Amino acid sequence: MPHSTPWSSTSAPCRPDSCRLEWRPSRWAIGALILLSALAPFAVLQSEMPRLAAWPLAAVAGAWGPWSAWREARKPARTFELQPGNGLARLDGRPLVLAEVRWRGPLAFLRWRDAAGQGGRLAWWPDTLPPAQRRELRVAAAMAP
């Protein structure tokens, strides 16, 4: 059957001993930034701020959103690896001293710190992390010390 789905995936992102996920910028997040940038000037102008200050602030708010969306879209893809058994975590092949996965509904947030003290955050939106991988990450993160 040419259109049937395979019984198993040969390249499963998460196995019992290791979980490997790719992060990329979310189209939903970029769209939300663009939508907010379109609505922000109207919100500023509808406030009770003096008009002399409201118009320049509305212009800045309208320009800030597209710039933020452009900056988000240009972020490079990242690879996160987690070994739940021993708690080892890597980001782009570099070992992490701290890797913490938190959840807010369907969103997964990774907060990390590497050996050099550099830290950062990543957010997986539903369009970048399918439900099956989301479940696997949740299980792997719960098993990690």
Side-chain angles (χ1 to χ4, degrees):
M1 290 188 232
H3 299 293
S4 64
T5 58
W7 284 96
S8 66
S9 174
T10 57
S11 61
C14 291
R15 300 182 312 271
D17 63 333
S18 170
C19 184
R20 180 183 174 115
L21 298 171
E22 180 180 317
W23 177 90
R24 58 184 163 77
S26 169
R27 292 181 183 161
W28 290 8
I30 294 166
L33 287 169
I34 291 170
L35 178 65
L36 287 173
S37 71
L39 297 175
F42 296 111
V44 171
L45 293 174
Q46 291 300 315
S47 71
E48 296 203 14
M49 181 180 288
R51 292 291 172 213
L52 189 60
W55 281 102
L57 183 59
V60 169
W64 190 272
W67 179 78
S68 296
W70 176 79
R71 195 176 73 184
E72 180 71 20
R74 290 183 39 93
K75 288 183 178 178
R78 315 288 299 262
T79 302
F80 175 63
E81 301 172 54
L82 177 64
Q83 296 176 354
N86 55 16
L88 292 177
R90 294 180 177 274
L91 186 66
D92 296 334
R94 294 186 341 240
L96 301 177
V97 174
L98 169 73
E100 183 180 18
V101 179
R102 299 259 175 132
W103 297 90
R104 296 284 185 263
L107 300 177
F109 296 93
L110 170 68
R111 188 181 67 143
W112 82 83
R113 186 159 313 281
D114 63 10
Q118 296 291 322
R121 293 178 305 272
L122 294 176
W124 280 279
W125 284 59
D127 67 326
T128 60
L129 190 63
Q133 288 183 356
R134 192 175 314 125
R135 283 189 299 272
E136 291 170 351
L137 176 60
R138 191 179 299 263
V139 169
M143 289 175 30

